[in-house]
Amino acid sequence: MNVRYRVDLDQPERDALTALLRGGKHPARKLKRAQILLAADAGLSDAAIAATVTVGGSTVYRTKRRFVEIGLEAALSEEPRPGAERKLTGKEEALLVATACSSPPPGCARWTLELLANEFVKLTAHEQVSRETVRRRLAENDLKPWRKDMWCIPKIDAEYVARMEDVLDLYAEASDPARPVVCFDESPTQLVGEVRQPIPAEPGRPERYDYEYKRNGTANLFVFLDAHRSWRKVKVTERRTADDFAHCMRDLVDVHYPEADCIRVVLDNLSTHTPAALYQALPAEEARRILRRLELHYTPKHASWLNMVEIEIGVLRGQCLDRRIESRSRLVAEVEAWERRRNASGARINWMFSTEQARVKLAKAYPNPTAKES
């Protein structure tokens, strides 16, 4: 035992170290130093402490020395480490971040580490800045200027809120066979064939297929999903025109829900998803007959996440379409098999978002009529 640096804690110090170990989030190194001090105070040898706390003997020695020579806080904190000073000052790091967030130079699609390093030399008195210095400072700020995410930026106004709450209230209703809620959307898919026959899998080796493929055109999937029961229907068509939409709505009324008084359909704002499409494709009396049985509820623009069928389309792609399917006939057969199995399984979308939650989480985005009054 090293008797030169003996740790004798008073009761407030023991209480402080015990509280440190019991609660809150602290760096692992700080917690290990607290354990070292408590173990040393209990009379354990340096070797026993090192084995118990799983640290090196030098760590035990340094912690005890700093406690005896400087105090408890110093023993728990990091010692200054050797090494060169940071090349960039705080202001220079802020300038680097601002540069990385700005538009890249003409002729460049995005900032790279080399471009940023060269630009920084022009903006500061540094003769050179390494790519690694730039990378480290950007990493500390969780910044990757060469990456971009594409997404739809919605305009959240009164119309957006009205349509969102309309759809959310439909989902919150209890199931009513006389007034079902059906989500509807469409998704294109490619027909892709093999140029060379894949090699089947065998023990120790996965299936192998050639990178080259043959494109055999496209098909369209119209997908229906009942919001309150385990039922979905996928219709494969060549196109997704207004005529195709009209025939889907006729199937919904006459084939899938012939006994329903009113079918509430949740759909997006595609130009073909309108009552006019039925009049364009069908005789006026037929179009009127179908529309009397339908109640169309449109999601807000750029808010496809509100349509429950989008989730189901993702499941369809992951479970059935994530492979090469060469012909429309095979696509129809595969989709029908998936549809039968999924309907029989009782699978449903467990929708968790409600109007009440929207008013809390999106409160800042909601229109504020009181601001106009004041």
Side-chain angles (χ1 to χ4, degrees):
M1 178 183 293
N2 189 328
V3 296
R4 182 179 177 185
Y5 297 110
R6 184 182 299 277
V7 175
D8 292 315
L9 300 173
D10 56 30
Q11 193 57 46
E13 290 173 333
R14 293 190 190 95
D15 294 342
L17 292 175
T18 302
L20 178 70
L21 293 173
R22 285 180 178 175
K25 292 184 178 180
H26 301 282
R29 290 178 178 176
K30 187 172 186 177
L31 297 176
K32 284 184 178 293
R33 294 188 192 101
Q35 292 173 329
I36 290 170
L37 294 175
L38 287 172
D41 181 60
L44 295 181
S45 66
D46 288 6
I49 295 173
T52 303
V53 185
T54 62
V55 295
S58 59
T59 301
V60 177
Y61 175 82
R62 287 195 303 270
T63 302
K64 292 171 62 177
R65 175 175 57 81
R66 286 174 64 80
F67 173 77
V68 173
E69 293 181 352
I70 309 177
L72 179 61
E73 289 301 322
L76 293 175
S77 61
E78 292 274 358
E79 289 185 80
R81 299 195 175 198
E85 295 184 359
R86 294 171 75 96
K87 189 175 183 69
L88 306 184
T89 65
K91 289 184 177 179
E92 288 174 337
E93 289 184 16
L95 176 60
L96 175 63
V97 170
T99 304
C101 293
S102 65
S103 299
C108 299
R110 61 188 64 83
W111 285 108
T112 64
L113 295 178
E114 186 173 358
L115 281 174
L116 284 169
N118 293 337
E119 184 71 14
F120 204 68
V121 170
K122 299 176 184 177
L123 297 173
T124 64
H126 292 284
E127 294 184 0
Q128 65 177 14
V129 176
S130 69
R131 297 169 73 255
E132 181 62 14
T133 296
V134 174
R135 186 195 68 79
R136 288 177 180 272
R137 299 295 83 80
L138 294 181
E140 289 175 357
N141 290 276
D142 193 23
L143 188 60
K144 298 178 181 179
W146 50 88
R147 293 186 58 184
K148 292 183 180 180
D149 287 336
M150 179 182 291
W151 61 299
C152 292
I153 304 175
K155 178 184 178 182
I156 302 182
D157 53 13
E159 182 180 3
Y160 184 102
V161 169
R163 290 189 177 189
M164 176 181 67
E165 293 201 350
D166 175 51
V167 172
L168 293 177
D169 285 350
L170 282 179
Y171 293 163
E173 289 183 8
S175 178
D176 183 357
R179 293 172 56 82
V181 176
V182 177
C183 301
F184 173 83
D185 203 1
E186 55 208 49
S187 179
T189 188
Q190 289 195 59
L191 301 175
V192 177
E194 302 287 358
V195 175
R196 297 172 183 84
Q197 191 65 24
I199 301 174
E202 56 186 44
R205 176 169 290 184
E207 179 187 10
R208 287 166 290 168
Y209 61 94
D210 196 90
Y211 71 93
E212 188 177 357
Y213 61 88
K214 180 171 59 176
R215 190 171 183 271
N216 296 327
T218 61
N220 184 68
L221 305 175
F222 285 106
V223 186
F224 303 88
L225 175 74
D226 194 304
H228 294 119
R229 66 185 181 96
S230 179
W231 178 85
R232 70 274 299 143
K233 179 65 181 177
V234 183
K235 182 178 181 180
V236 181
T237 62
E238 292 184 3
R239 301 169 300 172
R240 52 173 186 171
T241 63
D243 287 4
D244 296 307
F245 172 75
H247 289 101
C248 280
M249 293 299 103
R250 184 168 62 181
D251 289 347
L252 187 62
V253 167
D254 294 340
V255 179
H256 305 311
Y257 290 89
E259 304 298 327
D261 296 332
C262 177
I263 306 166
R264 277 89 59 82
V265 184
V266 177
L267 67 172
D268 62 20
N269 297 271
L270 196 64
S271 59
T272 56
H273 294 175
T274 62
L278 277 75
Y279 283 92
Q280 179 180 327
L282 303 169
E285 61 274 10
E286 179 71 355
R288 189 72 252 160
R289 178 186 70 83
I290 295 170
L291 287 171
R292 287 196 183 100
R293 299 269 309 283
L294 297 177
E295 186 178 283
L296 304 182
H297 295 258
Y298 293 96
T299 60
K301 292 182 179 179
H302 299 313
S304 59
W305 62 272
L306 276 167
N307 196 338
M308 201 182 290
V309 77
E310 292 283 349
I311 302 173
E312 192 68 17
I313 291 174
V315 175
L316 169 62
R317 292 203 168 277
Q319 293 183 351
C320 179
L321 304 181
D322 189 20
R323 52 184 163 155
R324 293 176 180 176
I325 298 177
E326 72 283 355
S327 65
R328 181 181 170 186
S329 59
R330 186 183 170 210
L331 176 64
V332 171
E334 295 290 345
V335 165
E336 287 180 350
W338 172 86
E339 177 189 301
R340 287 193 300 270
R341 185 176 64 254
R342 187 144 170 88
N343 284 340
S345 71
R348 283 185 52 198
I349 304 299
N350 184 22
W351 188 264
M352 305 292 290
F353 199 55
S354 65
T355 298
E356 291 72 21
Q357 290 172 317
R359 290 175 180 175
V360 173
K361 293 186 176 182
L362 303 178
K364 293 183 179 180
Y366 269 62
N368 187 6
T370 57
K372 297 180 180 179
E373 296 175 1
S374 59

